[in-house]
Amino acid sequence: MSVVGLGTWQLGADWGVVLEDDALAVLDAAADAGVTFFDTADVYGDGRSEQLIGRFLKSRQGEGLMVATKLGRRLPQLPENYTLANFREWTDRSRRNLGVDRLDLVQLHCPPTAVYSSDEVFDALDTLVEEGRTAAYGVSVETCAEALTAIARPGVASVQIILNPFRLKPLDEVLPAAEKAGVGIIARVPLASGLLSGKYTKETLFGADDHRTYNRDGSAFDQGETFSGVDFVTGVEAADEFARLAPPGATSAQTALRWIVQQPGVTTVIPGARSPEQARANAETAALPPLSPQTLHAVQDIYDRRLRAQVHSRW
Ligand SMILES: NC(=O)c1ccc[n+]([C@@H]2O[C@H](COP(=O)([O-])OP(=O)(O)OC[C@H]3O[C@@H](n4cnc5c(N)ncnc54)[C@H](OP(=O)(O)O)[C@@H]3O)[C@@H](O)[C@H]2O)c1
């Protein structure tokens, strides 16, 4: 799979309205630029993101494209809802939406922490593989502690986690543990919801239907999912400093993605894109040269000075 993939939360909801043709244009632009890995979830737009990807897959058969979806958020977030019967029902729906017999990868969608310690849940996931509903399963986590618990499970193929220049904690233990166990790392929210593009100012406003307005304080879902949990003003100031590290010919967003793909243990990074131009620019990152040791040091320094105190102990 490509080291730069595409996140498709934007094609469902929570980021304002996206028209169907525009969504398909983003998917096509990514694939044309070499992206072969697409991340979605059964709840993005209540299945709309999966259905759009299904249409897209139909038009690009034989290209070896891989789609990861997620399950677990169609019912209240209670451990007792993570049953084999529900998993079967949800994966059947995702298979229909995507138009495939077998899913490539299905991920638990940031379940309650207790779910990671449940043998029954992981037995049920093994059963989905045995039944041919999915080729493999993984987890999407909120915290490093959850990631480490999941990596210790033998059947877990991948861990999706927030990792970007404003979220360095996974470097401490999660990436080394994943590499040792042969577990794939899918780096999500790689641009800190767009902050790392360096294009926002303290005055920037987002739409009322955009999670960057309504989830800043974590009232809709985990606070860490919006701007990586960094307070917006702090993030804009840190992003201004980060943008100055971009090497000639690379944008700030590309520098952030390049930083992620060169961390040992990262399998792929899944930036969300709202236009074909963004999708193409992000895919181009795969061909950029590695960042210098001085730049890596400067990224660490920005994090330590401006962000560590806000986020490091939380996720
Ligand atoms: N719980 C979970 O499992 C979970 C949670 C969150 C995300 N995810 C996955 O991770 C994916 C990525 O995370 P994300 O979409 O939340 O955040 P992200 O990738 O950090 O940020 C996406 C935003 O960055 C901006 N952007 C993207 N490419 C750009 C470019 N080349 N130049 C300038 N700006 C650019 C756009 O902002 P503008 O809209 O302002 O242009 C875009 O909406 C999601 O799509 C989803 O697949 C999973």
Side-chain angles (χ1 to χ4, degrees):
M1 55 202 265
S2 52
V3 292
V4 179
L6 180 75
T8 66
W9 184 16
Q10 281 76 0
L11 310 189
D14 297 316
W15 296 76
V17 176
V18 181
L19 300 176
E20 198 156 314
D21 285 349
D22 293 342
L24 290 168
V26 169
L27 292 165
D28 277 324
D32 289 343
V35 167
T36 64
F37 181 71
F38 298 82
D39 178 72
T40 184
D42 58 359
V43 288
Y44 293 166
D46 195 21
R48 181 169 186 254
S49 174
E50 284 186 336
Q51 286 163 11
L52 286 164
I53 292 174
R55 277 184 55 191
F56 158 74
L57 287 179
K58 212 170 174 183
S59 69
R60 306 199 65 128
Q61 284 172 14
E63 294 189 28
L65 304 182
M66 182 173 175
V67 178
T69 192
K70 310 189 194 79
L71 57 69
R73 291 194 158 245
R74 301 192 57 70
L75 286 177
Q77 298 293 286
L78 302 168
E80 55 266 37
N81 288 332
Y82 290 75
T83 62
L84 177 58
N86 283 337
F87 287 0
R88 283 183 172 135
E89 188 185 319
W90 295 333
T91 48
D92 284 350
R93 182 175 178 272
S94 291
R95 290 154 72 204
R96 277 196 305 276
N97 282 342
L98 289 165
V100 298
D101 285 338
R102 190 175 69 159
L103 303 172
D104 296 320
L105 179 70
V106 72
Q107 307 157 96
L108 293 177
H109 197 166
C110 294
T113 304
V115 166
Y116 295 99
S117 307
S118 163
D119 291 342
E120 290 76 17
V121 167
F122 288 87
D123 288 349
L125 291 168
D126 286 333
T127 303
L128 295 183
V129 175
E130 282 156 23
E131 292 175 347
R133 286 187 154 81
T134 186
Y137 64 82
V139 296
S140 183
V141 302
E142 297 292 4
T143 67
C144 289
E146 291 168 350
L148 292 169
T149 309
I151 288 167
R153 295 262 171 195
V156 170
S158 62
V159 168
Q160 183 178 137
I161 191 164
I162 299 180
L163 171 69
N164 63 48
F166 290 176
R167 181 71 78 87
L168 303 196
K169 192 167 178 180
L171 304 184
D172 295 349
E173 290 183 76
V174 172
L175 266 60
E179 209 177 6
K180 193 161 169 231
V183 170
I185 289 286
I186 301 168
R188 80 165 180 273
V189 194
L191 299 174
S193 312
L195 265 180
L196 281 158
S197 69
K199 66 185 174 186
Y200 309 139
T201 67
K202 290 174 195 172
E203 288 72 40
T204 301
L205 296 174
F206 300 90
D209 54 356
D210 187 315
H211 75 101
R212 293 171 293 185
T213 298
Y214 67 77
N215 192 50
R216 281 193 193 191
D217 59 356
S219 44
F221 39 80
D222 194 279
Q223 194 178 0
E225 301 292 350
T226 299
F227 303 126
S228 292
V230 173
D231 145 77
F232 186 65
V233 171
T234 309
V236 167
E237 288 169 355
D240 282 347
E241 195 178 343
F242 178 83
R244 295 200 284 275
L245 303 178
T251 65
S252 182
Q254 289 174 322
T255 306
L257 299 177
R258 180 62 237 184
W259 179 90
I260 295 167
V261 299
Q262 78 188 66
Q263 302 306 315
V266 169
T267 310
T268 188
V269 59
I270 49 165
R274 293 225 290 178
S275 66
E277 293 71 30
Q278 287 183 353
R280 272 190 288 275
N282 295 343
E284 281 167 13
T285 309
L288 293 178
L291 301 176
S292 69
Q294 291 86 332
T295 304
L296 300 184
H297 179 79
V299 170
Q300 179 78 48
D301 180 54
I302 293 173
Y303 180 78
D304 288 343
R305 271 188 293 112
R306 294 183 178 271
L307 306 157
R308 177 181 282 272
Q310 263 190 33
V311 298
H312 207 79
S313 63
R314 292 196 62 188
W315 293 281

